[in-house]
Amino acid sequence: MSQPIDRRLPRAEVRTRPAGPPTLATVADEAGVSRQTVSNALNNPDLLRPETLERVQEVIERLGYSPNRAARQLRTRSSHLVGLRFEPAQEGTSNALMDRFLHSLVAAASRTGHHVLLFSGDPDDPLDGYDDLLRSTAVDAFVVTDTYAGTPQAGFLKDRDAPFVTFGRPWEDPHADHAWVDVDGAAGARAATRHLLEQGHRRIAWLGWERSSRIGQDRRSGWEEALRAEGLDPTGLGVRVTDNVDAARMATHHVLDDPTVTGFVCASDTLGLGVLHALAERRLQPGADVGVVGFDDSAAAQVAWPGLTSVRQPLEDVAVALVHTLHDVLAHRPVAEQGRMLEPSLVVRRSSLRGWTP
Amino acid sequence: MSQPIDRRLPRAEVRTRPAGPPTLATVADEAGVSRQTVSNALNNPDLLRPETLERVQEVIERLGYSPNRAARQLRTRSSHLVGLRFEPAQEGTSNALMDRFLHSLVAAASRTGHHVLLFSGDPDDPLDGYDDLLRSTAVDAFVVTDTYAGTPQAGFLKDRDAPFVTFGRPWEDPHADHAWVDVDGAAGARAATRHLLEQGHRRIAWLGWERSSRIGQDRRSGWEEALRAEGLDPTGLGVRVTDNVDAARMATHHVLDDPTVTGFVCASDTLGLGVLHALAERRLQPGADVGVVGFDDSAAAQVAWPGLTSVRQPLEDVAVALVHTLHDVLAHRPVAEQGRMLEPSLVVRRSSLRGWTP
DNA sequence: ATGAAAGCGCTAACAA
DNA sequence: TTGTTAGCGCTTTCAT
């Protein structure tokens, strides 16, 4: 019969004391324009008359308005979030890489207005975690770091049309056509080996990982090439161990039973530190007696005595390249280069220098 | 005049090939129930008749449905995201803490359905980054890790009613009433000192940070207490340096000019490594000649020769406690304890053991 | 150059 | 127990 009573507070009343942070409507009311105009002020400022724009911006500033992400994401289907699966660091190995890389990535992503979303997954299932995030449209894209030869992440993500970039080239798969960024490990090992050659070493051993590691094989190839380029024969100088200090220490003792060997290029800092342990036990002096080079320039390499020369990955550049590539991928733009290969650099410390004394 | 033509595709047609992932409506159609019922199946399963529930769940499973996060967030005002400002690791210091902590946090948060959002900020402005995230309602809460005496983050966040927990107690502020989790640094240093006492050392030096570091002062107090409890006088045995290997190395040489000193408890692994450097230069044997204990159990401590004994923070427990506390804070539940203090443990390696030989 | 209307996918409040 | 309605805050489309 009678009109239902409108129990809503009068519009102005509501806006006077908004419960939470200001919304687009608050700003619009305050500036005396429509909500759409405020939206345009944010996303298409060119459409506004300069004076309107300025007025709106003043209100935005004054109210400390920031667009609600959920609403924007719901509408534009873009979260401005980049997902990264974050695996536990292996205890006992000097995995300082992730720390440095992650910070570079966060910084690089923030420059394009993106944030990094960390998620975890069952260590036994390399795909765990991705699907959930994808189906709930929580992230715009993924950065995949834990790729090695034959990992299924790329195929999985490609199947679902998920935008992604890998840190790590697609080793074995000639058909892979996804974007990637990687560091030239062979070039790093080559530089390390050449550095020891320049220091006068001729019999330089390689201390690396098992044959199954594609990354390890790549790095090893750089050592081999550098030796052969000098007319030296690497035969019998390559050793494979698991990536821990003690395995490296013992292997080193074995190698040093051949007194002609005076140099070690290692696939990781962990292994390099293992060599230093063996030298300490044999009362040999790093640098002067035996030259040692590690890989990754971890914190451990920096603070170990007497300082471990190491191949440093340009992680800052890697992060920038990843974000840049992601940008193209997300814009459905053909990615300029499918893969970007970056050069590592050598950080020389005393473990590879002949002329120093404690 | 005439009815406007309905240009929409018939409902069923639309749903047959949805553009993106399935939505709640897709599931509802498929299961022959209303959307609300599907929502209830997800959030209040008890409300449904078992057979309805089962049918809906079957469809959800079959379609691989996952609720759209943006929509849910917009409605519930909860993103299930925890913000963490991620600072760059200091090069040259062995900051392995963040790596371990971060993984523990990601894992702990995932158990309550939360993800960790990383953001960066101007290093010169401890508040940079927080406000943006807050105003755009991007995160539910913050974990604040870079607190030290007098940092403004807590006050800032409290002013805006932002839920947060700090890793680090509110040192100087007796009025602080926010939730926190911390590790008892004094207890750690006490354990380290007692360990060296048990190894037979009597003149044990403290190698710590500048007086301005509240954390450093706390740790130092543990060393002092342990000595006094034994009737020993710490006077003249405490040294303050900046947190880098070389400063520690030089300070150690200075301390060792007093030949009665045979033990070092350090405020960090970086400093502990510095002590080891000095010992190497003096051809003294760690453990046998001089006992050394570091702090944080970083990767560097683990791989350094001959193994650096160190105080290990229970970061896994810290992460769990943080998430647990956050859970209470977010539920507006009175937090059980305002602060949770966790005990570190001592990881003994050879740098503090008398009876080993290389 | 500005405004009005519709709707993204979900859940809170209410009705049946 | 299930369905209907409304609306979270934003942008897209279309009208003015």
Side-chain angles (χ1 to χ4, degrees), chain B residues 126-127 144 146-156 166 169-171 173 178:
Chain B
L127 297 179
V144 182
D146 50 352
T147 54
Y148 41 93
T151 44
Q153 292 98 327
F156 176 84
T166 64
R169 69 202 97 160
W171 289 101
D173 187 358
H178 65 263

Side-chain angles (χ1 to χ4, degrees), chain B residues 114-172:
Chain B
H114 289 261
H115 289 291
V116 174
L117 177 92
L118 257 31
F119 64 102
S120 58
D122 176 359
D124 294 331
D125 178 3
L127 297 179
D128 190 38
Y130 286 99
D131 207 24
D132 273 353
L133 252 20
L134 223 42
R135 289 189 320 210
S136 60
T137 62
V139 299
D140 290 350
F142 291 100
V143 169
V144 182
T145 59
D146 50 352
T147 54
Y148 41 93
T151 44
Q153 292 98 327
F156 176 84
L157 292 173
K158 215 189 308 175
D159 281 351
R160 337 208 145 212
D161 290 316
F164 71 102
V165 185
T166 64
F167 178 8
R169 69 202 97 160
W171 289 101
E172 312 289 55

Side-chain angles (χ1 to χ4, degrees), chain A residues 21-268:
Chain A
T23 73
L24 200 118
T26 326
V27 176
D29 278 9
E30 191 79 10
V33 296
S34 77
R35 287 153 55 214
Q36 184 47 39
T37 301
V38 179
S39 174
N40 282 335
L42 257 34
N43 304 313
N44 303 84
D46 319 341
L47 292 182
L48 300 209
R49 203 170 28 189
E51 54 199 73
T52 317
L53 179 58
E54 197 179 351
R55 196 170 75 242
V56 173
Q57 283 175 334
E58 184 273 322
V59 175
I60 289 178
E61 187 69 23
R62 178 154 52 79
L63 263 43
Y65 167 73
S66 221
N68 180 303
R69 285 189 173 247
R72 182 174 261 187
Q73 177 180 350
L74 182 56
R75 196 63 248 237
T76 63
R77 328 202 130 259
S78 149
S79 62
H80 283 239
L81 252 35
V82 176
L84 177 80
R85 189 170 134 155
F86 191 57
E87 292 301 316
Q90 301 285 8
E91 292 277 337
T93 64
S94 48
N95 178 20
L97 268 177
M98 199 30 117
D99 204 48
R100 246 180 80 211
F101 170 65
L102 202 48
H103 184 270
S104 303
L105 186 67
V106 170
S110 86
R111 267 175 250 131
T112 65
H114 289 260
H115 289 291
V116 174
L117 176 92
L118 258 30
F119 64 101
S120 58
D122 176 359
D124 294 331
D125 178 3
L127 297 179
D128 190 38
Y130 286 98
D131 208 23
D132 273 354
L133 252 21
L134 223 43
R135 287 189 321 211
S136 59
T137 62
V139 299
D140 290 350
F142 291 101
V143 169
V144 182
T145 61
D146 50 352
T147 54
Y148 40 93
T151 44
Q153 292 98 325
F156 177 84
L157 292 172
K158 214 187 313 174
D159 281 352
R160 342 214 138 206
D161 289 317
F164 71 101
V165 184
T166 64
F167 177 9
R169 67 202 98 161
W171 288 103
E172 311 289 55
D173 188 356
H175 305 299
D177 58 353
H178 64 263
W180 56 265
V181 176
D182 206 352
V183 175
D184 191 342
R190 217 179 293 128
T193 309
R194 275 206 291 254
H195 168 64
L196 288 181
L197 288 167
E198 281 161 17
Q199 291 289 314
H201 300 280
R202 309 301 289 170
R203 296 272 292 165
I204 299 168
W206 169 258
L207 192 49
W209 300 318
E210 294 87 344
R211 193 182 301 274
S212 59
S213 163
R214 203 61 196 69
I215 296 174
Q217 287 298 89
D218 182 50
R219 294 182 180 178
R220 181 187 172 121
S221 72
W223 159 77
E224 245 187 84
E225 285 163 29
L227 285 189
R228 289 198 200 280
E230 228 25 42
L232 298 169
D233 184 7
T235 307
L237 286 171
V239 182
R240 301 174 196 277
V241 295
T242 56
D243 193 51
N244 71 65
V245 174
D246 236 45
R249 183 182 60 82
M250 292 188 293
T252 302
H253 279 305
H254 197 77
V255 171
L256 287 178
D257 286 342
D258 172 353
T260 64
V261 177
T262 59
F264 285 84
V265 178
C266 305
S268 75

Side-chain angles (χ1 to χ4, degrees), chain B residues 59-357:
Chain B
V59 175
I60 289 177
E61 186 71 22
R62 179 154 52 79
L63 264 42
Y65 167 73
S66 222
N68 180 303
R69 286 189 174 247
R72 182 175 262 185
Q73 178 180 350
L74 182 56
R75 194 66 250 236
T76 63
R77 321 194 137 266
S78 148
S79 62
H80 284 237
L81 252 35
V82 176
L84 178 81
R85 189 171 133 156
F86 190 58
E87 292 301 315
Q90 302 285 8
E91 292 279 336
T93 65
S94 48
N95 178 19
L97 270 177
M98 198 32 113
D99 204 46
R100 246 179 81 212
F101 170 65
L102 203 47
H103 184 269
S104 303
L105 186 66
V106 170
S110 86
R111 267 175 250 130
T112 65
H114 289 261
H115 289 291
V116 174
L117 177 92
L118 257 31
F119 64 102
S120 58
D122 176 359
D124 294 331
D125 178 3
L127 297 179
D128 190 38
Y130 286 99
D131 207 24
D132 273 353
L133 252 20
L134 223 42
R135 289 189 320 210
S136 60
T137 62
V139 299
D140 290 350
F142 291 100
V143 169
V144 182
T145 59
D146 50 352
T147 54
Y148 41 93
T151 44
Q153 292 98 327
F156 176 84
L157 292 173
K158 215 189 308 175
D159 281 351
R160 337 208 145 212
D161 290 316
F164 71 102
V165 185
T166 64
F167 178 8
R169 69 202 97 160
W171 289 101
E172 312 289 55
D173 187 358
H175 306 298
D177 58 352
H178 65 263
W180 56 264
V181 176
D182 206 351
V183 175
D184 191 342
R190 216 181 292 127
T193 309
R194 275 206 291 255
H195 168 65
L196 288 182
L197 288 167
E198 281 163 15
Q199 291 287 315
H201 300 279
R202 308 303 286 169
R203 297 272 292 164
I204 299 168
W206 169 258
L207 191 50
W209 301 316
E210 294 88 344
R211 192 184 300 273
S212 58
S213 164
R214 204 63 196 67
I215 296 175
Q217 288 298 88
D218 181 51
R219 294 182 181 179
R220 180 187 172 120
S221 72
W223 159 78
E224 244 187 85
E225 284 163 30
L227 285 190
R228 290 198 200 280
E230 224 32 38
L232 299 169
D233 183 6
T235 307
L237 286 171
V239 182
R240 301 175 197 277
V241 295
T242 55
D243 193 51
N244 71 66
V245 174
D246 236 44
R249 182 182 60 81
M250 293 189 293
T252 302
H253 279 305
H254 196 77
V255 172
L256 287 178
D257 287 342
D258 172 355
T260 66
V261 176
T262 60
F264 285 84
V265 179
C266 306
S268 75
D269 283 341
T270 305
L271 298 180
L273 261 342
V275 176
L276 292 185
H277 285 214
L279 296 186
E281 287 169 349
R282 288 184 168 236
R283 308 211 181 276
L284 289 172
Q285 196 189 310
D289 299 326
V290 176
V292 187
V293 184
F295 215 110
D296 282 348
D297 195 30
S298 62
Q302 297 170 31
V303 298
W305 189 87
L308 176 63
T309 296
S310 192
V311 177
R312 183 182 173 94
Q313 302 201 33
L315 297 182
E316 296 75 14
D317 302 339
V318 169
V320 169
L322 284 170
V323 169
H324 189 89
T325 306
L326 227 35
H327 207 246
D328 285 353
V329 171
L330 284 172
H332 298 282
R333 216 175 299 143
V335 177
E337 304 147 281
Q338 194 211 316
R340 287 255 285 141
M341 188 74 87
L342 271 33
E343 293 292 310
S345 58
L346 191 70
V347 181
V348 176
R349 300 200 178 85
R350 295 184 296 190
S351 70
S352 66
L353 289 179
R354 280 231 135 120
W356 74 276
T357 45

